[in-house]
Amino acid sequence: MSGRGKKVAAVKTKTTISRSTRAGLQFPVGRVARMLRKGNYAQRIGSGAAVYLTAVIEYLCAEVLELAGNASRDNKKRRIGPRHIQLAVRNDEELNTLLGGVTISEGGVLPNIHAQLLPKKTHRADSSKDVNSQEF
């Protein structure tokens, strides 16, 4: 008897779970790890370094996209463009310091008029005190 007729219990195939799924991230941890290794940033790269860096990049991307989405909604547009990213980054204090030396192509500049160029305000309240024609 060769044993070919016996039914063998089905072997469970182990499904691979990516490091991004384990960490609960959307950005690819494996790709960031590969780029860290190939980039010659250090001789040895720890396993948690790629996860941490991926989480930081994902957070920054989500933050910029949220602010740019708000800017596009303020301009009554449904699509985020470079102008909305520029407005989002420059109006946020922390992102502005982080991306201070970055030029966003087609982003434009923040609307700003220097205070000295604005027309001077006239005080009408003062001029009405000088007129005493109705008093007897």
Side-chain angles (χ1 to χ4, degrees):
M1 302 241 200
S2 63
R4 291 184 181 214
K6 294 182 182 177
K7 297 213 174 191
V8 180
V11 178
K12 288 187 178 181
T13 57
K14 189 174 182 182
T15 57
T16 59
I17 300 173
S18 68
R19 287 188 279 177
S20 298
T21 306
R22 285 184 194 160
L25 299 173
Q26 300 298 318
F27 278 37
V29 174
R31 185 177 299 172
V32 172
R34 186 189 73 227
M35 290 180 180
L36 279 174
R37 284 193 311 269
K38 301 287 184 189
N40 290 328
Y41 299 108
Q43 276 188 327
R44 302 166 64 179
I45 303 293
S47 61
V51 177
Y52 193 89
L53 181 60
T54 306
V56 168
I57 293 171
E58 183 174 318
Y59 169 74
L60 286 174
C61 184
E63 189 74 22
V64 169
L65 281 175
E66 180 184 355
L67 294 173
N70 294 342
S72 68
R73 194 175 340 110
D74 292 344
N75 290 332
K76 297 177 182 146
K77 305 287 184 194
R78 294 182 56 110
R79 188 179 300 162
I80 295 174
R83 175 70 177 159
H84 305 125
I85 296 172
Q86 173 82 323
L87 291 173
V89 167
R90 300 302 169 214
N91 286 326
D92 188 66
E93 183 180 341
E94 293 173 343
L95 285 175
N96 191 22
T97 56
L98 180 67
L99 302 174
V102 174
T103 302
I104 298 174
S105 177
E106 296 290 325
V109 295
L110 285 181
N112 185 23
I113 300 174
H114 203 275
Q116 292 178 343
L117 299 175
L118 293 172
K120 297 189 179 185
K121 295 180 181 178
T122 58
H123 297 289
R124 293 185 180 192
D126 294 339
S127 63
S128 64
K129 290 180 181 178
D130 295 339
V131 177
N132 294 328
S133 63
Q134 296 295 323
E135 295 180 13
F136 294 110

